[in-house]
Amino acid sequence: MPLPPARLPLRLGTRPLKRWRWVGCFDEQLLLCAAIAHVGPVPVAWYAVWDRAARTLAERTARRPGVVRLDGSRVRVRDAGVAVDLTLHEGPGVETVSPHGPAPGYAWTRKQGGVRMTGTVRLGDRRLAVDARGIVDDSAGYHARRTAWRWSAGVGVSATGVPVAWNLVAGLHDAAAASERTVWVDGEPHELGPVAFDGLDGVAFAEGGGLRFTLEAARARRERLVVVASDYEQPFGTFAGTLPRAGALRSGLGVMERHDARW
């Protein structure tokens, strides 16, 4: 079974390869994401930057190259009035492989939580120095023709002052054990039990407790193409509540996500 960093074939039986890298960076100044995805050989890129002081959202989905570049551990965005240049201080991450769709279909992911991200973001005539933490999602595989998931990812500080991060999902890599569900406490990853999403308003944990989400801004996109369709919503905002292994949150920032795809 080929897995990254090995080169994966563009098809497995009748299923095309899907692959993406998504980076989310979260701090008190701004919440941003940047991503590049491929369905088979067809690329699409997007970014969104929520300026928490100005209360403005800059975002774009682009099919031409150059708007978003994810070169190794560097994130660059160049668009009208927006320039992002971040360096990711990456680690090994948590890898998960799951069967998906008709055999022999499978999917792989590696999640990194609490990754330090440094650099600059320019929004119009404002230039912001960034030294923040975030989430890196690398995924690839031969997913089922119809795939749907709910996801939450974020960073924060516990009530006791410990840095935390989380990656929570239902619908993909969500087996009772050996899932991608992870909470990082002071950099150490711990797998969590199943989670239940209350729409995009919160998440409840099998271990008890939960997170409540307060929306600040949202990126959403719906596409209906000949063979591919996507209905996607990813709001930015704040979190409150209790994380297993970490306890109560003093503060939390990140995203919720709903994605329904036919690919």
Side-chain angles (χ1 to χ4, degrees):
M1 178 185 295
L3 297 173
R7 186 177 181 87
L8 276 64
L10 283 178
R11 303 191 73 84
L12 181 67
T14 61
R15 305 304 301 134
L17 173 67
K18 274 81 68 175
R19 54 190 173 93
W20 62 87
R21 166 165 267 215
W22 181 96
V23 176
C25 180
F26 314 122
D27 76 357
E28 295 301 323
Q29 300 180 97
L30 54 82
L31 308 176
L32 72 82
C33 71
I36 298 177
H38 293 76
V39 179
V42 181
V44 62
W46 66 91
Y47 75 87
V49 183
W50 170 240
D51 184 333
R52 301 187 75 208
R55 313 300 289 180
T56 58
L57 178 68
E59 59 105 1
R60 184 178 178 188
T61 298
R63 296 193 180 275
R64 68 174 178 84
V67 175
V68 178
R69 296 182 62 182
L70 304 181
D71 301 319
S73 289
R74 192 173 180 190
V75 177
R76 286 181 286 180
V77 175
R78 295 293 185 269
D79 203 9
V82 177
V84 176
D85 196 337
L86 297 177
T87 297
L88 311 180
H89 302 266
E90 298 190 66
V94 174
E95 296 192 48
T96 309
V97 182
S98 305
H100 206 265
Y106 67 94
W108 166 92
T109 190
R110 179 180 61 231
K111 298 297 198 297
Q112 299 176 60
V115 178
R116 186 180 178 210
M117 304 182 181
T118 57
T120 59
V121 174
R122 181 175 58 80
L123 301 170
D125 58 359
R126 297 179 63 220
R127 184 179 182 276
L128 304 175
V130 175
D131 189 343
R133 294 186 300 131
I135 304 291
V136 179
D137 171 8
D138 291 296
S139 295
Y142 307 93
H143 304 72
R145 173 71 170 137
R146 293 181 179 274
T147 307
W149 65 77
R150 303 296 179 267
W151 184 57
S152 176
V155 301
V157 178
S158 74
T160 58
V162 175
V164 299
W166 64 89
N167 172 74
L168 311 170
V169 71
L172 183 62
H173 299 298
D174 63 351
S179 74
E180 69 167 68
R181 296 180 303 269
T182 306
V183 60
W184 290 263
V185 182
D186 202 14
E188 290 297 317
H190 306 274
E191 186 182 7
L192 299 182
V195 296
F197 281 77
D198 178 15
L200 294 179
D201 295 323
V203 189
F205 300 102
E207 296 90 340
L211 297 178
R212 301 304 299 173
F213 177 71
T214 301
L215 179 148
E216 292 188 357
R219 177 183 178 272
R221 186 174 178 85
R222 179 176 294 178
E223 289 187 317
R224 293 288 185 270
L225 305 177
V226 176
V227 296
V228 176
S230 177
D231 186 358
Y232 175 94
E233 185 178 3
Q234 187 181 80
F236 295 112
T238 62
F239 290 83
T242 301
L243 278 168
R245 297 274 191 160
L249 281 181
R250 178 189 300 171
S251 62
L253 298 165
V255 296
M256 299 285 279
E257 180 178 289
R258 174 187 61 80
H259 194 176
D260 297 272
R262 185 185 75 243
W263 51 10

